[in-house]
Structure formats: structure tokens, C-alpha cells
Amino acid sequence: MDGKGSGPIERTADDILSMRVRGAGRIGRAASRALGELASDYDRGNLGNLSYDLMEAASALLSTRPTAVSLRNAIILTLSGMVSLDDPEELREDVFKRSRDFVSHSEDFVSIIGRKGAALIPDDATVLTHCNSSAALSAIYEGFRLGKVRRVINTETRPWRQGHITSRWLARNGVPVTMIVDSAVNHIMKDVDIVMVGADTITRCGDLINKIGTSQIALSAGENSVSFHTCAETYKFSPTAYAGADVTIEDRGPEEVADPLKVEDMEGVDLRNPVFDVTPARFIDSMITERGPISQEEIGILMDEIFPHGLIDHFSWL
Ligand code: RI2
């Protein structure tokens, strides 16, 4: 990039890479916002490189985290005017407007999912959640407001311990919360009435890719006849990945697993840090979106609606 407007892109890419900005919805919004800022701050007297700079910015943002399709979808939906607009000034305005709309709609979706998700929570429920999902928490808060949630059990969520954030948020909002280590899930499942988690990606066949450990929770829920639900805005569905095996799982550094000061003491140990896993569709009772629960059969129709014919092909360079 030529320096014009490269600030918001580099800052946002760095924030996402370092996990200062995290959570599938938030990274999608941050990327869309950064593209909007790049467009709105662009030198209007010199728009010749706008398309090129937007493409470079899109690639830089996408390279930060490979698993959450929210990031790719947010970028494509923000830049979709590139398919038809030749006039750079029109494109500049279009990107800015689409970015503003994406951010505000995606925030609204979280509240709507809260209402739709709460409807599935039984009375006097103990809800188990994992990691830190705004969408799942929205449903839990609404369920609590309606008097349906008695207690939340949430996992610590190694290695980043995003569960600590979840526990703090719930406690500050007056929701009774118990935090457990990840390996206590199966032991405690007998006390749980419903599981609600977020989503980083949902594939066309309904496989869920979410924070590492989610699939074990789903297995345990299934074994204990506890219903398992994922809360996900529709832009977390992948228009291209058919099954979980088609999604790249992000591997992060070994220092996140072992004490960074002691990584050298682990010589000879193969430290691996996959941060997401795949929960097969058959373990999932419902996928709660802003349009309500959607079935596996409806995913394809939804994708064709959100990504009209040719849009994804147009972004094959991404
Ligand atoms: P919302 C998070 O990933 C978690 O896996 C969480 O379930 C998911 O994003 C969705 O979060 P990470 O960025 O969009 O912490 O519902 O690795 O907030």
C-alpha cells in the first residue's frame, strides 16, 4: 500500500493477530470498519489506486486469522461493490456505506439472537457455555432477564482463558456463574440443562468450528441427553466449505500452551496449539441465527441469498 490510509489496516491487522481484538463477530466488524476507514480517509484527488489498495488491505486483514469465516465474509460483503462499480468515487462511497451497514447490522444481529436463543432455554436452567461468545452470551443474558436462567457454568477455556472474561461479565451483570477448568466438563454435565456456545464458522453441511474443546462438550452433552446449541450470525456460515475438514484450523504458538519462560525446559516436547475444533452437525440440536433457528437444509439457500451468484468467484484472489 502507498501509505494513504494504511494506518487503520495495519492497526486492525495487528490487533486481530495479537488477539487484542478477538471473537468471530468482533474481528469481522473490526475488518469491515478498517476497510470503511481506508475508503473514507482516501485522498479524493488521487483515487487511481483505490481498488488495488482495497485488495491489498483485504489480503492483509484476512491473513491474520485463518479459521473464522466471519472475517472473510465481512471483507467480501464490505467490498462487494467492486464487482460492478468502475467509478472510483462511487466505489469509495460504496465501501464506506457497506462498512457502516455491516457493523450496525451485525451488532443488531447479536441482540436479535439473544431473543431467539432465550426462547430455547428451559425454565430454571443451568446453562453451560465455553470461551467468550457475544452471541451465546446475548441469549444467556436475555434468558436470565426472563427469569429462566438459574446459573451459568462456564469453562476456563485454555490456553487464552477467555472464560475468565465470560465469568467476569456474567458476575458484573448479576448472573450467578461458576467457572470450571475445561477438563471438568464431562464430570459436571449431569448438572447442566442446556449448552450454548458461539461459532467461528459453520459449514454448508452444518459442522461447527468453534473454540478448541467445543467438540468434547458436544460429545458429553449428547451422552448425557443435554441439548447443544450454537448461536451464530448468518455471516458466520461458510459459502464455500462443505464440511469441517474443509476449514483450516488455526495453530498458534507453543508459548501460549507452556509458560513462555519455560518453553526451553520443554526441549524434546512437541507443543501443539490448535485453537479450534470441529463439532459434527449430528451433535448440534440447533443453530440460532438472527433469522431464528435454521436447519441444515436451509444453509445452502441462505448462502445463495447472502452471496448472490458470482460474488464469491469474484473474490477468488482473496
Ligand atoms: P462471538 C471466539 O474465538 C470463540 O471461539 C467464540 O465462540 C467465537 O469467537 C464467537 O464469538 P476467538 O477469537 O462472535 O476467541 O459470538 O479465538 O463473540
Side-chain angles (χ1 to χ4, degrees):
M1 271 177 287
D2 58 9
K4 291 191 291 287
S6 63
I9 302 301
E10 285 169 359
R11 231 180 13 252
T12 304
D14 191 51
D15 282 347
I16 297 174
L17 197 61
S18 62
M19 306 265 290
R20 277 192 296 278
V21 172
R22 49 142 297 277
R26 279 191 213 91
I27 64 178
R29 281 193 288 279
S32 179
R33 208 180 276 121
L35 291 167
E37 230 180 289
L38 170 63
S40 74
D41 293 352
Y42 212 88
D43 177 3
R44 295 176 76 171
N46 185 16
L47 288 167
N49 281 338
L50 177 62
S51 288
Y52 176 80
D53 284 350
L54 286 170
M55 287 167 81
E56 273 223 317
S59 301
L61 290 166
L62 188 65
S63 67
T64 54
R65 296 201 73 187
T67 301
V69 78
S70 55
L71 184 56
R72 175 180 285 272
N73 286 347
I75 292 169
I76 292 176
L77 293 170
T78 305
L79 298 185
S80 57
M82 290 179 90
V83 176
S84 55
L85 297 174
D86 292 328
D87 177 57
E89 178 54 34
E90 278 179 36
L91 177 62
R92 194 187 75 82
E93 275 175 29
D94 187 79
V95 171
F96 175 66
K97 184 174 170 309
R98 285 183 196 273
S99 155
R100 202 188 48 202
D101 290 351
F102 180 86
V103 171
S104 89
H105 290 154
S106 79
E107 284 167 351
D108 292 345
F109 292 168
V110 174
S111 316
I112 300 168
I113 286 172
R115 294 195 288 280
K116 311 249 181 199
L120 297 176
I121 300 177
D123 285 339
D124 199 29
T126 295
V127 187
L128 186 140
T129 191
H130 183 52
C131 197
N132 177 251
S133 158
S134 309
L137 280 172
S138 179
I140 292 169
Y141 284 139
E142 181 61 11
F144 181 70
R145 199 186 65 77
L146 295 172
K148 296 167 118 189
V149 173
R150 179 157 42 94
R151 174 162 293 275
V152 177
I153 297 178
N154 92 268
T155 53
E156 182 185 34
T157 319
R158 283 276 294 155
W160 269 78
R161 297 182 169 89
Q162 291 100 324
H164 290 231
I165 307 171
T166 299
S167 286
R168 281 197 299 272
W169 286 2
L170 288 164
R172 275 183 206 147
N173 282 284
V175 183
V177 56
T178 302
M179 192 173 79
I180 56 171
V181 295
D182 301 350
S183 45
V185 161
N186 194 46
H187 173 74
I188 216 143
M189 194 57 82
K190 61 183 181 315
D191 302 329
V192 174
D193 299 299
I194 181 171
V195 177
M196 284 190 150
V197 297
D200 290 87
T201 295
I202 299 176
T203 70
R204 290 183 85 108
C205 83
D207 286 351
L208 164 69
I209 293 89
N210 193 50
K211 182 58 53 189
I212 191 83
T214 302
S215 62
Q216 294 170 179
I217 297 173
L219 281 170
S220 174
E223 192 60 28
N224 289 278
S225 305
V226 172
S227 66
F228 180 98
H229 307 266
T230 178
C231 299
E233 302 88 321
T234 48
Y235 65 88
K236 291 177 184 164
F237 286 75
S238 171
T240 51
Y242 177 73
D246 301 328
V247 178
T248 305
I249 299 291
E250 179 182 358
D251 265 289
R252 295 180 65 91
E255 69 286 351
E256 293 181 357
V257 176
D259 182 335
L261 299 173
K262 296 188 183 149
V263 166
E264 310 86 69
D265 295 348
M266 306 294 280
E267 206 182 318
V269 177
D270 175 29
L271 287 164
R272 281 206 58 199
N273 185 16
V275 295
F276 298 102
D277 65 19
V278 179
T279 300
R282 66 180 183 281
F283 292 107
I284 301 167
D285 290 284
S286 79
M287 299 175 276
I288 307 153
T289 74
E290 71 276 9
R291 301 180 185 211
I294 78 152
S295 69
Q296 212 175 322
E297 294 73 34
E298 287 168 318
I299 298 175
I301 302 165
L302 181 73
M303 290 298 91
D304 293 345
E305 187 195 317
I306 298 177
F307 302 99
H309 182 67
L311 180 58
I312 296 300
D313 292 346
H314 189 89
F315 285 89
S316 55
W317 51 268
L318 192 58

